[in-house]
Every structure is written in structure tokens, then in C-alpha cells.
Amino acid sequence: FAATSTINELALSYRHDGFIEQYFYPWNTTSLEYLHRFNFGPVILRGNWSRRFNIDGGQFEIESYPTLRKGTYAYLNIGTSEAEKIFPRTRYGAEIFQSLPDAYEISLGFRYLAFITKDVNLYTASLGKYIGDYWLNYRIYYSSQTFGQDTTNQFLIRRYFSGAKDHITLRHSYGNSPDQDISVSSIYELKSWETGLELQRPLTSDLLWRLEAAFKHQELLYDAGFLDQTSVLFGLRTIF
């Protein structure tokens, strides 16, 4: 597929979340993303449109991965939404990644999410290693303002095929709100775990397809019981 020297990418994805216990209506989310590579690193513009709790709403994000020096780069993100019952009204985050000898990488950062009912500060760190065609990564999130368990642990293993955008990924996480898509409902969870599988492969030299499937089991606050959630995502990405 296309080499990383290409400077633009356009991606469209659709995600469906279903609930086995039928506590909620299904969630449906569509995301559109544009990436442009500058000399300092890529910048991403992303729009998310979702229907959750029988409510429609959108979110806009700007994300970047600037190179700071050889072996060091950063993650920067800021987002906003008027749909406070679905997304945080404001979110931002930053993280520094540092390459180490023997194909290791470490990172340290934070996330801030302002919900309609409360603000959440998340602190995160990760340790990763390349072993041949595999990428192994452990990440921890810590928050002093969530209910119940204060930490989330995430394990990831990725197998690369013909290049950086051609891979299969298995992930497992447990803790308070272990999924990457932290929403209003997530702050009312106690102990949860999630397992997911992602596959991204090239269709042509400049077109990729992506498929994700995940299962999440979550304990709800205030003795509200348990909730089982299934997620399926399909996406396309063009490189030009």
C-alpha cells in the first residue's frame, strides 16, 4: 500500500454498540477524519456524530503528534461538544513518548474531560516494546475523581504484516471505564473489563479497510447491576 511519504489521509467509520440487557437503546456513531502530515508531524481534524440514550449529538477534535527531537514525540488533543449528555463538553490531553534502547518506548501524559455532572482528570503512562513484527504495550490510567476503582490497566499486542498500517491487534483492559471512548455513562461505572480485536488491511495501494469487534462487561454504580455491551466498527481510509 501507499508509503508513509504521502501527506494526506481521509477516513470514515461507523460504530454500533448494543446492550444485551436492553437497558439502553443501541448507540450509533459515525466519525470522519482528515489527516495532513506537516514537517513537524501529522495533524488530525475529526468529527464524531453519535446517537446515544435516544439523543443525537456531535463532537469536534483536533489532534497532533509533533516530533520534538529524534526519538521523542508528543500527543496533543483538544475537543469540544454541545451534546453534554453524550460527550464531554470539553476535553484535552497531552503525552510525551520517548524511544529507548532495545526497541522499548515509554510515555507519560494526562487527559482532562469536562462532563455535565463533573470534571475528570486522568493521568496515564505506558511501556511498549517491538519484538520482530510484534508490538507489545501496557498502559495504565489513574484518576482520583472517579468512583470505585481508581486505575485502568490496558494490555495490547499487535502483529504487523506488510507495513505500519497493515496489522491485527488484540487488546484487553480492566478497571474503571476501561474503553478508550470515555463518555458520560462511563463515569457511573465501577469495575469493568473489555476485550477487543481490530484488523486493518489494504484493499488497494491507497485504500485501507478496518474492522473492530469488542465485548465489555461493566458493573454500574449505586447497585444498578451489570451491563454487557458489544461493539462493532467498520471503517475505510484513503491515502493520497
Side-chain angles (χ1 to χ4, degrees), residues 75-91:
Y75 157 85
L76 302 171
N77 173 276
I78 185 168
T80 184
S81 174
E82 295 182 355
E84 295 183 339
K85 294 183 178 180
I86 302 178
F87 298 105
R89 63 180 183 272
T90 303
R91 62 169 296 160

Side-chain angles (χ1 to χ4, degrees), residues 25-226:
Y25 290 104
W27 296 352
N28 296 282
T29 303
T30 301
S31 297
L32 181 63
E33 173 183 303
Y34 171 71
L35 179 149
H36 181 83
R37 286 187 174 84
F38 294 92
N39 292 333
F40 60 82
V43 173
I44 301 169
L45 305 179
R46 183 185 301 114
N48 304 304
W49 296 270
S50 188
R51 183 171 180 82
R52 303 180 183 182
F53 314 109
N54 217 23
I55 300 171
D56 295 308
Q59 179 189 56
F60 178 73
E61 296 179 84
I62 302 176
E63 192 169 292
S64 182
Y65 295 85
T67 298
L68 304 180
R69 62 180 184 181
K70 185 178 180 180
T72 307
Y73 68 97
Y75 157 85
L76 302 171
N77 173 276
I78 185 168
T80 184
S81 174
E82 295 182 355
E84 295 183 339
K85 294 183 178 180
I86 302 178
F87 298 105
R89 63 180 183 272
T90 303
R91 62 169 296 160
Y92 56 80
E95 191 164 354
I96 300 294
F97 295 82
Q98 177 63 53
S99 298
L100 298 176
D102 298 322
Y104 282 98
E105 182 183 82
I106 59 172
S107 73
L108 185 66
F110 76 95
R111 313 283 190 268
Y112 168 79
L113 304 104
F115 292 100
I116 190 172
T117 55
K118 66 181 301 183
D119 296 346
V120 176
N121 292 290
L122 296 171
Y123 304 94
T124 184
S126 72
L127 172 65
K129 180 174 174 60
Y130 289 97
I131 304 176
D133 294 328
Y134 290 87
W135 166 246
L136 309 178
N137 185 264
Y138 166 72
R139 176 175 292 277
I140 185 171
Y141 291 95
Y142 172 78
S143 175
S144 60
Q145 300 185 45
T146 53
F147 297 103
Q149 190 170 333
D150 287 329
T151 59
T152 296
N153 299 272
Q154 182 182 85
F155 301 89
L156 179 150
I157 179 169
R158 174 172 292 168
R159 166 69 158 88
Y160 291 98
F161 299 109
S162 61
K165 294 184 179 297
D166 186 7
H167 54 73
I168 185 171
T169 304
L170 175 66
R171 70 176 189 274
H172 178 75
S173 53
Y174 65 92
N176 183 285
S177 184
D179 58 345
Q180 303 177 58
D181 179 25
I182 302 175
S183 62
V184 173
S185 63
S186 300
I187 63 176
Y188 297 104
E189 299 171 10
L190 292 174
K191 297 178 182 178
S192 304
W193 62 263
E194 182 181 25
T195 298
L197 184 68
E198 174 193 344
L199 181 63
Q200 181 171 277
R201 302 301 307 269
L203 276 173
T204 66
S205 61
D206 55 6
L207 183 64
L208 301 155
W209 64 270
R210 174 183 165 207
L211 180 65
E212 290 186 28
F215 177 82
K216 179 179 179 181
H217 177 77
Q218 48 201 306
E219 179 185 357
L220 303 178
L221 196 63
Y222 308 125
D223 296 322
F226 295 88

